[in-house]
Amino acid sequence: MNFTVKANLTDIISREIFPAEVSVVNRKIASIQRIDEQLDSYILPGFIDAHVHIESSMLVPSEFARIAVKHGTVGTISDPHEIANVLGISGVDYMIENARKVPFHFYFGAPSCVPATNFETAGAVIDADDINQLLNRKEIVYLAEMMNFPGVIYKDEEVLKKIDFAKKHNKPIDGHAPGLMGEGMKMYFDAGITTDHECFGHTEALEKLKHGVKIMIREGSAAKNFDSLIPLLKDYPDQIMFCCDDKHPDNLIESHINDHVKRALAAGYDLLDVLRAASYNVVKHYNLPIGLLQVGDNADFIEIDNPEDFNILKTYINGELVAENGRSFLQSVEAPIVNNFNCSLKQPSDFKIKNESDTIRVIEALDGQLITHEIHAQSLVKNGFAESNIDEDILKIAVVNRYNDAPVATAFIKNIGLKSGAIASCVAHDCHNIVVVGTNDSDICKAVNAIIKAKGGISLATETEELILELPIAGIMTDLPAEEVAELYIKLNQRAKELGSQLRAPYMSLSFMALLVIPELKLSDKGLFNGKSFEFTDVFVS
């Protein structure tokens, strides 16, 4: 592990670039010598995803790392919220144990909202005492996103206990406050919460920045906020971090935080400000031991060809070469199967909606956004039941409780775009029940039952076909290699588009239609939910 590297060193601490010979001894930066040579390549600190749910890649942590290092990523701030909603603390332990099997800097949070709300069924509960125990562990470096912002504002006792425990352990508290502004915003962040990755636009983020909040610019597979938020980097370079939040396997194969960096540089932003948002700001906020190319640091750095093309040549973690020229040297590792799937097969009649009014509330999905709108439409009635209206692109959506047998929750959604068939997934934030959208009850039922039989997956069904990517690990991840997962996922996405969907990522968008903490209208396994008033509402408008 002892070696030297000659390259143009990009020092984001002193904010200068100079030719240097860097000596690595026993996995650390032993010396940095300025040299008088013309050098082609550049070395700089490795990238860190400031907020990501590894589970959304459908890969276990070790497999996520195997792909991420090719893009120059050396670490993640990982919220194991998804698997915690399925398996509780044992799910968090699963992620930590698997992460230990590869040379990669995984830093996990204590999931603050399991379940995310009391308006849905999860597979586990993590209370304040559990949070205290988790935060006492060195592997847990922060309190993960506090999604229950009404609970903070209205001083829910259990919520405040979780925040107080984070303060007691001197660990940062991540935020989650989509659209929150004004006095409510002030009350929320004054409680001790320090970040937000849910800003919809420039005005909202600017108000939070002026309040001292660190803003994470998110560009994931579904939510894409980069273009609206990147101008903030110019005036608030010390308060900006880059994150993906949710990254599906096909997108992870293509890029990671390096995409944020390349786009920011192409837009003309200062190289050192951009690199600090991708590394330094994250290290300092979470007090991480990830190296920043300083003498005495862990040897965590990347080598690129030049700042203009920004091709990743090599990635080093703790002095080990883990990737070179698009090839990862990390190996896939065995991942044991754990699960929590206990519902019975369904019948088409389970998805019937008895008509009660001429007007229905409809979830309006927005491409590239997690937020939705509530719109009203005329119900299409056949034999006394409200049905999908394919011509108006108003389709039936349902959420099936995966943890026990219960009545199916049903409603309507616009902008999924299917002209036939159904798509379903139990990668459905945050409780990971089964969410399905389709044009008819038969195909809807078929897509749901494919997932129930596999005890997890994403599926597509028509009258003549059935496709599924099985996800046996907690119903949300697989033990398959990333490349194989990406291939299967791309096939499902493409087939959904062939059936009429115009969404860039149909399954990723689908996975957020049960996420109640993101306004405006969503569907849980217990019913249609208004995320603004934080209460259930009726499908039919009286």
Side-chain angles (χ1 to χ4, degrees):
M1 296 294 179
N2 299 344
F3 60 94
T4 59
V5 176
K6 285 186 178 182
N8 294 294
L9 189 145
T10 306
D11 190 334
I12 62 175
I13 309 296
S14 65
R15 300 186 68 91
E16 58 179 331
I17 301 172
F18 54 88
E21 182 176 29
V22 178
S23 176
V24 175
V25 178
N26 295 329
R27 300 179 177 272
K28 293 186 178 294
I29 306 295
S31 66
I32 297 175
Q33 300 293 328
R34 293 174 183 257
I35 57 178
D36 187 16
E37 294 185 28
Q38 290 289 113
L39 302 171
D40 293 327
S41 64
Y42 292 71
I43 56 174
L44 48 141
F47 304 138
I48 307 165
D49 192 330
H51 175 78
V52 66
H53 302 281
I54 299 296
E55 305 97 309
S56 290
S57 69
M58 304 180 207
L59 308 172
V60 292
S62 58
E63 192 66 11
F64 180 97
R66 187 176 71 83
I67 303 302
V69 294
K70 297 194 294 185
H71 306 310
T73 304
V74 301
T76 60
I77 303 298
S78 306
D79 179 2
H81 173 94
E82 314 301 343
I83 196 169
N85 266 281
V86 177
L87 296 169
I89 290 178
S90 66
V92 178
D93 291 337
Y94 183 95
M95 301 296 279
I96 292 171
E97 287 303 313
N98 181 265
R100 285 175 174 153
K101 297 180 179 180
V102 290
F104 189 87
H105 294 297
F106 285 106
Y107 294 100
F108 290 98
S112 67
C113 298
V114 178
T117 73
N118 295 322
F119 302 101
E120 55 200 319
T121 304
V125 174
I126 294 180
D127 62 19
D129 290 335
D130 295 326
I131 290 293
N132 187 33
Q133 293 178 28
L134 284 169
L135 289 168
N136 197 42
R137 298 166 58 173
K138 61 180 177 57
E139 304 97 336
I140 304 295
V141 303
Y142 71 111
L143 181 63
E145 54 182 315
M146 178 50 72
M147 293 183 290
N148 189 357
F149 60 84
V152 178
I153 294 171
Y154 298 110
K155 303 187 184 303
D156 178 273
E157 182 179 352
E158 183 76 1
V159 168
L160 295 184
K161 280 176 66 177
K162 293 176 181 179
I163 291 173
D164 287 342
F165 281 135
K167 293 176 181 177
K168 182 188 79 171
H169 291 284
N170 196 30
K171 293 184 177 180
I173 306 166
D174 265 12
H176 175 115
L180 192 62
M181 298 175 70
E183 187 60 27
M185 180 274 294
K186 184 177 185 298
M187 294 171 65
Y188 177 76
F189 290 107
D190 283 351
I193 295 162
T194 55
T195 72
D196 196 8
H197 61 275
E198 289 288 354
C199 294
F200 301 147
H202 185 277
T203 301
E204 176 191 349
L206 184 60
E207 181 175 341
K208 291 173 179 176
L209 283 166
K210 289 180 177 179
H211 195 66
V213 178
K214 306 284 181 61
I215 296 298
M216 297 176 184
I217 297 180
R218 173 178 60 187
E219 190 77 357
S221 294
K224 298 182 180 297
N225 309 122
F226 181 90
D227 289 337
S228 61
L229 299 183
I230 193 61
L232 298 165
L233 181 66
K234 184 176 185 298
D235 295 323
Y236 297 90
D238 296 331
Q239 289 176 250
I240 300 296
M241 295 180 268
F242 292 152
C243 81
C244 289
D245 196 5
D246 295 284
K247 195 81 166 172
H248 266 198
D250 56 333
N251 297 138
L252 181 63
I253 292 287
E254 295 174 354
S255 66
H256 193 207
I257 297 299
N258 60 319
D259 182 64
H260 291 64
V261 171
K262 292 177 74 169
R263 288 174 61 181
L265 294 176
Y269 292 94
D270 179 79
L271 171 65
L272 294 167
D273 286 345
V274 171
L275 297 180
R276 285 165 76 98
S279 58
Y280 176 86
N281 292 350
V282 189
V283 167
K284 293 305 177 183
H285 182 76
Y286 292 99
N287 192 31
L288 306 178
I290 297 179
L292 293 170
L293 264 181
Q294 304 295 300
V295 173
D297 281 359
N298 291 328
D300 306 315
F301 60 93
I302 62 177
E303 184 175 357
I304 66 169
D305 52 357
N306 58 74
E308 290 75 36
D309 297 312
F310 219 98
N311 293 309
I312 310 292
L313 304 179
K314 297 178 180 180
T315 304
Y316 293 89
I317 297 178
N318 287 333
E320 180 179 346
L321 180 63
V322 294
E324 184 174 13
N325 294 323
R327 178 188 174 196
S328 175
F329 298 129
L330 302 188
Q331 300 297 312
S332 296
V333 300
E334 184 178 354
I337 303 299
V338 293
N339 211 304
N340 185 6
F341 224 100
N342 302 302
C343 66
S344 303
L345 295 176
K346 303 305 174 188
Q347 300 296 325
S349 58
D350 293 326
F351 301 92
K352 291 289 186 186
I353 304 176
K354 185 177 180 181
N355 190 63
E356 298 178 7
S357 170
D358 291 336
T359 307
I360 53 175
R361 285 187 174 83
V362 178
I363 301 167
E364 183 183 31
L366 305 175
D367 199 12
Q369 297 289 342
L370 305 190
I371 61 170
T372 61
H373 292 156
E374 175 183 325
I375 61 174
H376 295 176
Q378 189 80 13
S379 59
L380 177 63
V381 183
K382 296 180 182 179
N383 300 319
F385 294 98
E387 302 287 356
S388 294
N389 188 334
I390 299 172
D391 292 339
E392 298 296 327
D393 188 20
I394 296 175
L395 305 180
K396 189 175 290 185
I397 180 171
V399 175
V400 177
N401 184 329
R402 65 175 277 190
Y403 301 105
N404 51 69
D405 287 323
V408 174
T410 49
F412 292 94
I413 189 167
K414 185 176 179 62
N415 290 339
I416 300 299
L418 299 177
K419 300 301 181 186
S420 64
I423 60 174
S425 174
C426 67
V427 178
H429 310 282
D430 280 312
C431 290
H432 301 291
N433 292 301
I434 305 170
V435 59
V436 59
V437 172
T439 58
N440 64 84
D441 295 334
S442 178
D443 290 340
I444 286 172
C445 186
K446 189 176 180 180
V448 167
N449 283 342
I451 292 174
I452 294 173
K453 292 174 186 175
K455 293 189 177 296
I458 64 173
S459 67
L460 179 147
T462 68
E463 184 180 0
T464 59
E465 67 183 317
E466 180 182 302
L467 302 174
I468 185 166
L469 167 56
E470 295 187 1
L471 301 173
I473 299 174
I476 54 177
M477 294 180 290
T478 177
D479 54 351
L480 294 175
E483 294 83 359
E484 188 174 340
V485 180
E487 182 178 349
L488 290 168
Y489 181 72
I490 289 170
K491 182 179 180 180
L492 279 158
N493 252 331
Q494 183 58 39
R495 189 70 186 108
K497 292 177 181 180
E498 289 171 358
L499 294 178
S501 180
Q502 300 297 312
L503 297 172
R504 285 175 287 182
Y507 283 97
M508 180 59 95
S509 294
L510 179 66
S511 72
F512 288 101
M513 292 305 109
L515 183 55
L516 309 189
V517 293
I518 301 287
E520 177 177 19
L521 199 61
K522 297 291 173 68
L523 181 67
S524 88
D525 67 293
K526 295 182 179 181
L528 194 60
F529 188 80
N530 186 307
K532 285 188 172 181
S533 60
F534 235 65
E535 61 185 2
F536 288 113
T537 188
D538 293 328
V539 172
F540 295 96
V541 180
S542 57

